[in-house]
Amino acid sequence: MAPPADLREWIGLLEREGELTRVAAEVDPDLEVTEIVDRTVKAGGPALLFTNPKGSDHPLLINQFGTERRMCLAFGVKRLDDVAARLEDVLEMQPPQGLVEKVRGLRKLKSIADSMPKTVSRGACQEVVLTGDDVDLDLLPIQRCWPGDPAPFITLPAVITRDPKTGTRNVGMYRMQKIDRRSTFMHWQLHKDGRMDYLAVDGKLEVAVALGLDPVTAYSASAPLPKHIDELMLAGFLRGEPTELVKGKTIDLEVPANAEIVLEGYVERGDEGIEGPFGDHTGYYSPAEPFPTFRVTAMTMRRGAIYPSIVVGKPPAEDAWLGKATERIFLPAIRMSVPEIVDYDLPVAGAFHNCVIVSIRKAFPGHAQKVMHAIWGLGMLSLTKTVVVVDEWVDVHDYEEVFFRVGANFDPKRDVLLSEGPLDHLDHAPTRQFYGGKLGIDATHKGPAEGTREWPEEIVMSDEIRTLVDRRWSEYGIEAEPGADGARPRSLRHLLRR
Ligand SMILES: Cc1cc2nc3c(=O)[nH]c(=O)nc-3n(C[C@H](O)[C@H](O)[C@H](O)COP(=O)(O)O)c2cc1C
């Protein structure tokens, strides 16, 4: 099934699939929504449409991405790996041989060409236009998420800017603390492309903020693409249809025509204030720091616009599945640079940057260390604090198995690599902000060239006996049948089914 074309189609799909609950009771966006959503997310519950948020006429949609099933529905796939496979198909394109391959190759090229956003003359996002003094962020049910947050925050925006030198568009998801009816802060962290655009201007930088998009475009705003690649092109490729854009009313930027709400405006170098603290996805409050002020010149909307939100906090929270989508979708791109990587996993509890488990096809002494350095040099993965490397036959998504390999295979004196480098903007643990230690754990099998004694053979039951026991299991009268591999309980696999 094709991914939904806009937020309303998405809500319809969620409802038909039994994945959405409408909450008619009046609920306060000030903290109350968070407590409800946090309980719902942690119980694996449905998306919630608050139709009567206190103080606003606009319904509030939340937890749209909160489970693997909903994430797959958003992309119109059975497994998130199916999305990765489509990208891999394009990335691995070889010169075609023979007519059939040429036709297939042309189709692939067409799917790339069709991904380019296209400008249209009218968009539903401009059915209502408020400019100047009529702009009023108080109209929206913006959440204050946690008790220590000083103000409400817009949490699920797609923020659009243009590189002043190259003209390349950037779309990113950055929280926006409301200052008053017509301004917010823009939380562009140190390593983000959005911030680069801001730093590249002397004066004003125009900014558009799209709220309430189809789920794939909303996801794409959070995707860690290299700066020169337009996130809206990724959205078009993943949806199989170009993103339609309309010209802004007060700025020279184009905005997604299907958005529920668009904020147009600008930031200006030097116009900054103290943003935060904010209860963040690390599970702690991020500190108050200076960030640019976003001044809103127009607020445009669909009639009856639906406001989207997300709560981040102690993992697991709704953003876990946005992160998992990135983990799966970017595996082929990572393999382009580091082909010996078989698979990787960013445990949700590791808040994305704290830990990466990676399995490799090990071919030479020090290979695990090579991969650790590669990860510390790759895009946003470079901010990873801990890298655990295991052999290709280890299931990186099975944390019990990984823990077993670490316990069994590593010598802390020989197999730990301590390094240092850039760290996530929000990481409160390092002594200095942005910079600190890195830990690599080599849990692969080692050979004599890596200074080990003879490596012992791993215990595995013979195929003959396994088949025999499979065949006779019902005769034994033992109720609980272990997994098909017969070796381990299901452990944490149910949390991260693949
Ligand atoms: C729910 C959510 C909230 C986020 N909030 C922020 C934020 O406030 N600031 C930030 O720099 N990145 C934030 N991110 C991460 C960025 O969206 C992500 O790194 C993105 O790739 C940045 O795009 P850019 O590199 O093009 O700037 C958030 C991600 C999610 C899923």
Side-chain angles (χ1 to χ4, degrees), residues 96-146:
Q97 293 180 1
L99 189 63
V100 177
E101 270 197 31
K102 277 188 185 141
V103 172
R104 213 175 279 145
L106 281 175
R107 263 198 230 121
K108 285 184 202 170
L109 284 177
K110 186 169 178 318
S111 73
I112 302 172
D114 289 350
S115 311
M116 298 300 288
K118 77 169 188 220
T119 308
V120 295
S121 55
R122 288 157 65 95
C125 70
Q126 293 175 339
E127 284 171 355
V128 178
V129 177
L130 305 174
T131 55
D133 208 32
D134 289 337
V135 169
D136 190 358
L137 296 176
D138 286 344
L139 294 173
L140 303 176
I142 305 177
Q143 279 185 270
R144 189 166 71 100
C145 295
W146 298 105

Side-chain angles (χ1 to χ4, degrees), residues 155-156 170-175 187-189 192-194 221-225 231 310 312 319 322 380:
T155 51
L156 201 64
N170 186 69
V171 189
M173 188 174 282
Y174 324 98
R175 72 180 189 229
H187 190 252
W188 279 317
Q189 292 166 13
K192 304 303 169 72
D193 296 339
S222 75
L225 287 176
E231 282 81 1
I310 188 170
V312 298
D319 58 336
L322 288 169
M380 283 296 113

Side-chain angles (χ1 to χ4, degrees), residues 154-157 159 169-176 186-196 218-227 229 231 275 278 280-281 291 310-312 318-320 322-323 352 380 425-426:
I154 295 173
T155 51
L156 201 64
V159 178
R169 179 174 26 238
N170 186 69
V171 189
M173 188 174 282
Y174 324 98
R175 72 180 189 229
M176 297 160 58
M186 190 59 78
H187 190 252
W188 279 317
Q189 292 166 13
L190 185 71
H191 309 101
K192 304 303 169 72
D193 296 339
R195 189 186 189 89
M196 304 302 160
Y219 157 75
S220 301
S222 75
L225 287 176
K227 183 150 185 356
I229 301 182
E231 282 81 1
E275 194 260 13
F278 176 71
D280 219 314
H281 71 90
F291 277 97
I310 188 170
V311 171
V312 298
E318 182 185 344
D319 58 336
L322 288 169
F352 304 120
M380 283 296 113
H425 191 125
L426 300 176

Side-chain angles (χ1 to χ4, degrees), residues 2-180:
D6 64 15
L7 190 75
R8 294 181 194 198
E9 206 177 295
W10 174 223
I11 288 173
L13 175 65
L14 289 173
E15 211 151 26
R16 284 195 303 283
E17 293 287 331
E19 289 282 348
L20 181 125
T21 299
R22 286 172 187 263
V23 181
E26 186 185 73
V27 177
D28 199 336
D30 190 78
L31 305 182
E32 192 181 359
V33 169
T34 300
E35 181 60 19
I36 297 168
V37 171
D38 200 41
R39 291 184 195 191
T40 308
V41 170
K42 289 187 165 72
L48 301 174
L49 187 65
F50 290 95
T51 52
N52 191 15
K54 191 175 172 189
S56 173
D57 292 335
H58 296 278
L60 182 157
L61 176 70
I62 197 157
N63 201 21
Q64 56 177 304
F65 298 115
T67 62
E68 183 176 19
R69 175 158 196 266
R70 285 205 287 286
M71 210 67 212
C72 289
L73 280 174
F75 284 99
V77 293
K78 288 212 167 64
R79 302 151 67 242
L80 288 171
D81 283 320
D82 298 342
V83 186
R86 278 195 56 214
L87 267 182
E88 185 162 28
D89 210 26
V90 170
L91 288 172
E92 302 264 318
M93 261 180 91
Q94 303 286 343
Q97 293 180 1
L99 189 63
V100 177
E101 270 197 31
K102 277 188 185 141
V103 172
R104 213 175 279 145
L106 281 175
R107 263 198 230 121
K108 285 184 202 170
L109 284 177
K110 186 169 178 318
S111 73
I112 302 172
D114 289 350
S115 311
M116 298 300 288
K118 77 169 188 220
T119 308
V120 295
S121 55
R122 288 157 65 95
C125 70
Q126 293 175 339
E127 284 171 355
V128 178
V129 177
L130 305 174
T131 55
D133 208 32
D134 289 337
V135 169
D136 190 358
L137 296 176
D138 286 344
L139 294 173
L140 303 176
I142 305 177
Q143 279 185 270
R144 189 166 71 100
C145 295
W146 298 105
D149 297 357
F153 284 78
I154 295 173
T155 51
L156 201 64
V159 178
I160 303 167
T161 50
R162 200 186 289 132
D163 184 314
K165 295 204 175 71
T166 63
T168 313
R169 179 174 26 238
N170 186 69
V171 189
M173 188 174 282
Y174 324 98
R175 72 180 189 229
M176 297 160 58
Q177 178 181 333
K178 189 174 138 204
I179 301 172
D180 55 33

